[in-house]
Amino acid sequence: MRGHKEMIKRIYDSIGENLEKKGLAEYEVTKSAIAEKVAEVILANMAEEDKLNKDVEKLLSAHEAEIAKEQMDYRKEFELTKQKLAKERGFVL
């Protein structure tokens, strides 16, 4: 995830600089500190979504035979189940 963190920080640095140039943002702390926090939040969100995906896969694997028997679209079932679990957990996709 280190590579992701650096990429997120670079993206935020670019956005932050653009906002500052346009006079849309003033910073009371360094942009670097803000970029660090933004990266932490985004990475935590990504990790939570990965966990959600794994939980959906576990649920669907328990119903694998039924999904095959009914010729259900696995991707559609995955997305519907993911949305339901996300809503139950208060996770915004």
Side-chain angles (χ1 to χ4, degrees):
M1 290 263 184
R2 177 109 175 111
H4 291 299
K5 187 173 187 175
E6 293 307 315
M7 182 178 62
I8 292 166
K9 287 169 71 175
R10 282 196 309 272
I11 291 168
Y12 177 78
D13 285 339
S14 177
I15 292 168
E17 188 174 313
N18 195 13
L19 290 171
E20 190 174 38
K21 281 180 183 177
K22 291 181 178 183
L24 298 172
E26 292 181 21
Y27 301 100
E28 294 180 7
V29 296
T30 65
K31 284 184 274 185
S32 176
I34 296 170
E36 180 73 28
K37 190 63 176 173
V38 167
E40 287 176 23
V41 170
I42 290 172
L43 289 173
N45 184 274
M46 289 171 63
E48 185 64 28
E49 187 169 3
D50 285 345
K51 182 182 180 318
L52 180 68
N53 287 338
K54 288 177 184 170
D55 291 346
V56 170
E57 288 171 0
K58 284 180 189 176
L59 281 170
L60 292 181
S61 70
H63 299 281
E64 192 173 353
E66 183 182 341
I67 291 170
K69 181 182 174 187
E70 298 294 325
Q71 297 181 341
M72 299 170 154
D73 181 350
Y74 182 85
R75 287 306 311 157
K76 185 175 180 179
E77 292 302 316
F78 185 93
E79 288 304 316
L80 290 172
T81 305
K82 182 176 178 177
Q83 289 174 11
K84 182 179 177 187
L85 276 181
K87 185 176 180 181
E88 288 173 4
R89 296 177 182 185
F91 183 79
V92 178
L93 293 173

